[in-house]
Amino acid sequence: MKTRLDAPVGIDALAVAIPHRYLDLEDLARARDIDPAKYTQGLGAREMAVAEPGEDTVSLAASAARRALHIAQLDPRDLGLLIVGTETGVDHSKPVASFVHGLLGLPRAMRVYDTQHACYGGTAGLMTAVEWIASGAAGGRSALVICADIARYGVATAGEPTQGAGAVAMIVSSSPSILELDVGVTGASSTHVHDFWRPLGHREAQVDGHYSVECYLDAVATAYRGWRARAIARELIRADSPASEQLAALCYHVPFCKMARKAHLHVRRCDLEDAAAPWDPSTESLRAETHFRNQVEPSLHLCARIGNVYTGSLYLGLAGLLHTRGDLARRRIGLFSYGSGCTSEFFSGLIGPRASDRIAAAQLDSLLASRARISIDEYHRLMALTAPLLEPPPPGTFRFTGVDAHRRQYVAA
Ligand code: HMG
């Protein structure tokens, strides 16, 4: 007889919402008198999404959620849980989830709240939803988990080329067409560090950039080793060959694409250092490069064109992977979620048989193609909040229109 931990649970549908304007990073580099190759090759970034005043975290979250519900063809009455993972909400008390609940007209009889821990907030929501369903408490209902953020560091800062904005909405259910999670097989790593923070009242994040990269790498090593031990104990992978090579692909939290490369080389290093058999460092660098190109790079093309979307970055990577590779059905992949401060988790799952169809329904190519490239002057106006609201909203999206007394107002198209 199956235990609940063996019953399938995971992501059944996924949809993305992004701002309608983007800045080409070569334009940004030239404006900052920096060699464009530093951004395109050094950071691996091509473009970054720039939110306008009408595109706040709520409007992005609601737009993505509406698409995800449509793709899953889910009757909202079958939802029992709505969680928004975000670190850039619109109010200190009223959660983004509450606005989304109202805008989408979701049922009253459900739990609705936000989860926060920097970029890990979305994964906190996903894990809660997965374990809620696996425990049997969901009673057959599904969950809507949304990761939504606007990443801002400020004009002419080192973090500037790593900004972005967007939302990823996921339907989590017991019929996971996209990704069936290995429930209970995860590795976590948390330490109290000051790598990235945003003091109350600030729109822009502060970051100790190079230190944050070190914190991320330290976390991925511990989380990966924790996951690997559990995956071997549950016989999901073998102990006699590098675990990372037994995964068909790996998705990482992507603050900028080069970070995923650094993380992957670090994970391989963990495997090789821990291996019983000696390894030859002279051949490893070529093997690692090939492995990165096949197992990780396919997940990065959306991130390279949108930038850091904080909580949604890992899931934008998953969407990018499935959009690029159609050969992953029923194969196991690894995922690493990192939230500065810090907490992190490495987990895994089996790609569902209908994952490619589900991702095709998310129409990622047309989302990117419908964006408008902005000039550096327009970017400065948007950062200074002096650009006009874009009217009317593009079809299928929500837009913030202003505050009426104390109530934030939104329109839907
Ligand atoms: P920097 O100091 O301006 O850049 O900031 P750099 O000098 O380190 O150069 C970056 C790379 O470009 C280097 O490559 C250079 O060699 C290369 P690497 O050595 O790292 O492989 N480079 C060039 N390449 C080609 N042609 C050239 C050239 N010049 C240099 N001409 C930094 C970089 C990432 C620190 C900065 O952008 C930053 O502070 N970003 C924000 C922080 C961040 O993203 N941290 C990542 C880890 S923390 C995290 O992921 C959590 C987060 O998402 C928040 C959350 O959890 O909520 C941020």
Side-chain angles (χ1 to χ4, degrees):
M1 193 177 127
K2 274 188 164 187
T3 66
R4 281 193 177 125
L5 281 187
D6 294 327
V9 51
I11 304 169
D12 185 41
L14 180 156
V16 173
I18 48 176
H20 290 82
R21 302 184 195 191
Y22 73 91
L23 183 66
D24 189 292
L25 285 187
E26 295 202 9
D27 293 346
L28 179 64
R30 279 188 285 271
R32 300 286 172 263
D33 206 15
I34 284 173
D35 179 356
K38 175 174 174 181
Y39 293 171
T40 55
Q41 291 163 33
L43 298 175
R46 286 173 56 195
E47 297 161 359
M48 81 188 181
V50 183
E52 60 164 286
E55 292 169 322
D56 67 358
T57 303
V58 169
S59 73
L60 291 167
S63 303
R66 183 149 90 173
R67 283 182 197 138
L69 287 168
H70 176 73
I71 291 170
Q73 292 292 299
L74 187 79
D75 182 338
R77 285 172 300 187
D78 292 334
L79 283 174
L81 179 63
L82 162 59
I83 303 178
V84 176
T86 183
E87 56 178 299
T88 54
V90 297
D91 189 280
H92 286 309
S93 293
K94 189 171 167 66
V96 171
S98 174
F99 286 93
V100 172
H101 182 252
L103 287 171
L104 297 183
L106 298 180
R108 190 165 178 158
M110 60 189 292
R111 289 185 183 147
V112 174
Y113 57 90
D114 285 2
T115 45
Q116 186 188 340
H117 187 140
C119 297
Y120 177 81
T123 301
L126 176 64
M127 292 301 166
T128 302
V130 163
E131 289 164 12
W132 174 67
I133 293 169
S135 73
R141 291 170 298 167
S142 300
L144 172 58
V145 176
I146 311 167
C147 311
D149 274 303
I150 297 177
R152 285 197 189 95
Y153 293 96
V155 169
T157 60
E160 184 178 35
T162 67
Q163 299 175 118
V168 180
M170 297 174 274
I171 303 296
V172 182
S173 81
S174 53
S175 51
S177 302
I178 291 186
L179 181 71
E180 177 185 339
L181 264 73
D182 297 324
V183 180
V185 185
T186 83
S189 173
S190 304
T191 48
H192 176 38
V193 291
H194 285 93
D195 59 335
F196 167 103
W197 61 100
R198 187 164 66 90
L200 292 175
H202 288 230
R203 281 176 77 232
E204 281 95 21
Q206 317 280 307
V207 64
D208 189 343
H210 292 281
Y211 178 55
S212 73
V213 171
E214 280 174 36
C215 293
Y216 181 125
L217 293 178
D218 184 45
V220 74
T222 306
Y224 174 70
R225 286 183 164 116
W227 166 80
R228 190 181 59 192
R230 285 181 185 83
I232 291 170
R234 282 270 292 271
E235 297 181 356
L236 301 182
I237 54 167
R238 298 183 317 277
D240 60 359
S241 75
S244 59
E245 293 194 357
Q246 297 175 56
L247 295 168
L250 290 99
C251 296
Y252 294 90
H253 167 57
V254 187
F256 53 93
C257 293
K258 180 69 119 15
M259 189 69 235
R261 187 173 183 280
K262 288 177 192 285
H264 189 59
L265 298 186
H266 206 61
V267 157
R268 283 190 64 86
R269 199 169 182 86
C270 292
D271 270 340
L272 296 169
E273 281 175 1
D274 302 346
W279 57 284
D280 178 1
S282 65
T283 54
E284 167 53 15
S285 90
L286 182 61
R287 267 183 79 178
E289 201 51 57
T290 310
H291 199 258
F292 168 77
R293 220 170 291 131
N294 296 334
Q295 318 298 92
V296 182
E297 206 168 58
S299 68
L300 298 178
H301 67 105
L302 286 179
C303 301
R305 297 192 59 190
I306 295 169
N308 192 356
V309 300
Y310 286 164
T311 48
S313 290
L314 171 62
Y315 305 99
L316 204 54
L318 175 64
L321 173 72
L322 297 173
H323 183 247
T324 316
R325 283 186 62 179
D327 62 330
L328 292 173
R330 301 184 200 288
R331 298 176 70 188
R332 177 161 281 109
I333 67 163
L335 303 100
F336 176 66
S337 178
Y338 178 79
S340 280
C342 70
T343 195
S344 66
E345 192 156 351
F346 194 102
F347 56 103
S348 57
L350 289 175
I351 296 296
R354 295 199 298 143
S356 293
D357 294 346
R358 285 292 212 212
I359 291 298
Q363 300 186 321
L364 300 170
D365 285 331
S366 48
L367 264 186
L368 289 172
S370 64
R371 301 185 305 169
R373 178 173 170 174
I374 54 171
S375 67
I376 196 79
D377 289 342
E378 202 175 347
Y379 162 69
H380 285 147
R381 280 198 296 277
L382 285 166
M383 290 297 282
L385 293 178
T386 55
L389 292 179
L390 185 94
E391 293 287 357
T397 62
F398 290 88
R399 218 22 90 107
F400 169 65
T401 55
V403 179
D404 175 9
H406 54 280
R407 292 166 192 264
R408 296 178 73 84
Q409 303 294 315
Y410 292 86
V411 291

